[in-house]
Amino acid sequence: MTAALPPHPVTPALPAPHRLTRTEDGARLHALLWTAGPGRRAISSAVLGGGIGRRAWILNAQVSHGYRRTDPERHLACLAADAGLSGPGVGLMTAADVSAYAHARDGGVEAFVTAGVDVRDWAARPGEGAEGAPEPGTINVVVAVPAALTDAALVNAVATATEAKVQALVESGHDCSGTPTDAVCVVADAPVPDREAYAFAGPRSLWGARLARAVHRAVRDAVAELPGCRGTSGVTHGTPVPGY
């Protein structure tokens, strides 16, 4: 007997982001805002709202090249407040132009990627790492799964998203595993009684396979639009909303 796969949701696991605009230090900058909705939680490496917990929104904020603030968590919290956001959320930063983002969908999983690879490198190399707050990352991955995942599966999902990102970079001709400060955020339904919570999100699991394909395609599309890169465009320009 062939097992029935969960139906693909009609409603996206994460709606398309709103694009916010602001002027900071004389520069016009953008941010992407997703609302996760009730009953969702996230795992993230983000400087604001990182870790595992219920999260109501995700903000991916562009900052100026040469960003030198040493309080990125406070900065993101202020941007969120200026945007009228309340409650727990996730805040990411990047020097890349987030108004052009890549989006891919696979089996109900949604992946959104903003990318810049000017400061790319391999993860394992000789030398000590730097202390203190790093500069803002340049490849940010936001992915949503329309299913409940256990804590372990959330961690597994981060690993799967990272593996798919690296695969996409290498296949696109980049000799790197990413940039030194990439960030990822995975949103999923929170486990509730009487509903199955999936315990696995590796690349060969049901939701992990869908996540991997979505992230892989979104990263490839995102880096294809960068100067000197070639590929099929999957980049979307968000709808602007008033500045904040």
Side-chain angles (χ1 to χ4, degrees):
M1 178 182 294
T2 302
L5 296 180
H8 297 179
V10 176
T11 303
L14 200 61
H18 295 291
R19 192 181 76 190
L20 310 176
T21 59
R22 74 185 190 279
T23 299
E24 191 172 278
D25 297 329
R28 188 169 178 80
L29 302 171
H30 305 286
L32 300 177
L33 171 63
W34 293 267
T35 52
R40 312 300 297 282
R41 66 177 188 157
I43 181 171
S44 178
S45 62
V47 65
L48 176 67
I52 298 177
R54 290 184 181 263
R55 303 289 185 264
W57 48 265
I58 303 105
L59 184 70
N60 185 11
Q62 179 189 5
V63 296
S64 299
H65 288 276
Y67 183 82
R68 288 294 178 267
R69 287 187 60 160
T70 58
D71 59 344
E73 183 176 6
R74 177 180 174 82
H75 188 190
L76 283 164
C78 289
L79 294 180
D82 290 344
L85 301 173
S86 61
V90 172
L92 307 99
M93 280 185 171
T94 178
D97 181 6
V98 302
S99 63
Y101 63 89
H103 168 245
R105 189 171 196 256
D106 192 294
V109 175
E110 308 278 347
F112 301 87
V113 174
T114 58
V117 290
D118 290 342
V119 190
R120 58 186 180 271
D121 205 348
W122 292 104
R125 69 170 190 177
E128 296 294 331
E131 295 183 358
E135 295 183 0
T138 52
I139 301 178
N140 285 340
V141 175
V142 175
V143 58
V145 178
L149 301 180
T150 64
D151 286 359
L154 285 174
V155 176
N156 211 177
V158 170
T160 298
T162 303
E163 290 175 11
K165 178 196 72 175
V166 175
Q167 180 183 346
L169 288 170
V170 173
E171 290 177 356
S172 298
H174 294 288
D175 55 343
C176 65
S177 55
T179 78
T181 49
D182 292 349
V184 60
C185 177
V186 178
V187 180
D189 294 345
V192 294
D194 302 322
R195 181 184 177 188
E196 179 184 9
Y198 289 84
F200 304 101
R204 296 286 73 82
S205 69
L206 173 64
W207 291 110
R210 295 172 177 179
L211 181 151
R213 289 189 296 266
V215 171
H216 175 263
R217 187 160 64 250
V219 172
R220 288 199 64 166
D221 287 345
V223 300
E225 289 298 303
L226 299 176
C229 301
R230 296 177 297 174
T232 302
S233 175
V235 172
T236 304
H237 292 273
T239 301
V241 298
Y244 68 108

